[in-house]
Amino acid sequence: MQICRFNDNRLGLVDGDKVKDVTSALDVLPAQHYPLPTHDLMIANLPHVRKAITTAAKGAKSYALYDVRLLSPIANPGKIIAAPVNYKKHLDEARADPQIHHQNQIAEIQRVGLFLKATSSLVGPSESVTIRHPDRRTDHEIELAAIIGTRADRVTREQALAHVAGYCIGFDITVRGPEERSLRKSIDSYTVLGPWLTTADSVADPSSLDLRLTVGGEVRQQANTRDLIIGIADLIVFATSFYTLMPGDVLLTGTPEGVGPIKPGEVMDATISGLGSMRVEVR
Ligand code: MN
């Protein structure tokens, strides 16, 4: 199943090149009281929501995909976790290019671990990336994003993938410079998720997906998730050895080689096999 959020917070079922408006499926969500949970409510109730989507889809109003404004498929993630340099060829390019490493030691992911991006940086494809510091190099990074479905604390490798609700395309937009990653990558709009959530049961093998990013039609990044240094299951094992993952938490699995600068006015097109394609403008 492919579930999107669109226009003014509508819920959509993606069906070929159409979106069915299944917003009424959200009526199954439990009422909330302050303090609000630190997880995403829809993902925490996804099995119920999916049933309701199937019912609501019958006779639902339908839109052409190209006619809707796509929002982040996850509205309220509690954490956005990201893997630094998790492809060997990106590690090599980062170490070789002073404009990327900025005298920061680029250590292997096994030593550096993971970092967090502010949830306030998250947008959907229709919202564009807005360059905050035009005087500084700002790079695109396409990544496979895994969305956590159920609470996960100190899980084993065998259990790990059962905690994934689904996958989408992620952008980890990055200002190059000497500051901490969490600062340079947390600028408003510097995390993009889209075009929709593809549920895990619709992804045959997340460790064999082609990723491709073009800027202005020129191919910049092209790789396959089989080349991840630490795979998705082991990233979850690693993350949950430090903190509990909650429904809706986003795990950005790292970017492959080919990162490069983006400028206002440019257009990024991204595809991951089986997960769809998205276009994101740079402003
Ligand atoms: Mn990244």
Side-chain angles (χ1 to χ4, degrees), residues 179-194:
E179 303 94 339
E180 291 282 345
R181 281 190 177 92
S182 63
L183 181 71
R184 294 184 284 108
K185 293 166 171 276
S186 285
I187 294 171
D188 295 356
S189 81
Y190 280 27
T191 306
V192 187
L193 286 183

Side-chain angles (χ1 to χ4, degrees), residues 14-220:
V14 180
D15 180 12
D17 56 0
K18 296 265 194 299
V19 180
K20 290 180 173 172
D21 188 333
V22 291
T23 306
S24 63
L26 295 175
D27 294 347
V28 301
L29 296 182
Q32 293 301 304
H33 301 282
Y34 182 83
L36 296 174
T38 56
H39 60 246
D40 184 274
L41 196 61
M42 183 181 83
I43 300 299
N45 293 278
L46 194 57
H48 299 303
V49 174
R50 285 184 66 165
K51 272 189 205 140
I53 286 175
T54 304
T55 308
K58 293 169 189 140
K61 188 174 178 191
S62 188
Y63 298 84
L65 250 181
Y66 65 77
D67 239 5
V68 303
R69 298 187 71 248
L70 289 168
L71 307 173
S72 166
I74 313 302
N76 300 119
K79 293 190 278 306
I80 300 174
I81 301 145
V85 286
N86 198 18
Y87 286 83
K88 176 68 171 65
K89 286 182 187 164
H90 176 54
L91 176 65
D92 295 341
E93 79 178 350
R95 283 175 167 166
D97 184 348
Q99 288 198 343
I100 297 180
H101 65 64
H102 276 266
Q103 315 309 322
N104 292 333
Q105 189 195 8
I106 306 293
E108 288 161 6
I109 181 169
Q110 291 89 341
R111 293 192 52 208
V112 196
L114 303 165
F115 64 95
L116 293 169
K117 297 182 62 145
T119 54
S120 51
S121 67
L122 179 60
V123 295
S126 70
E127 295 170 276
S128 307
V129 167
T130 304
I131 301 294
R132 184 92 161 204
H133 299 296
D135 52 321
R136 296 186 56 176
R137 175 170 161 175
T138 304
D139 281 8
H140 55 77
E141 295 191 353
I142 183 176
E143 316 199 357
L144 171 68
I147 311 303
I148 299 301
T150 49
R151 189 176 188 280
D153 180 14
R154 285 162 283 192
V155 301
T156 65
R157 186 166 205 278
E158 289 65 39
Q159 299 165 329
L161 289 184
H163 288 279
V164 176
Y167 300 91
C168 45
I169 305 174
F171 284 179
D172 173 22
I173 305 295
T174 303
V175 173
R176 300 297 170 198
E179 303 94 339
E180 291 282 345
R181 281 190 177 92
S182 63
L183 181 71
R184 294 184 284 108
K185 293 166 171 276
S186 285
I187 294 171
D188 295 356
S189 81
Y190 280 27
T191 306
V192 187
L193 286 183
W196 40 73
L197 176 74
T198 301
T199 55
D201 57 316
S202 298
V203 180
D205 183 6
S207 63
S208 171
L209 300 177
D210 289 317
L211 306 82
R212 180 183 154 103
L213 176 92
T214 65
V215 178
E218 178 197 333
V219 179
R220 295 276 190 89

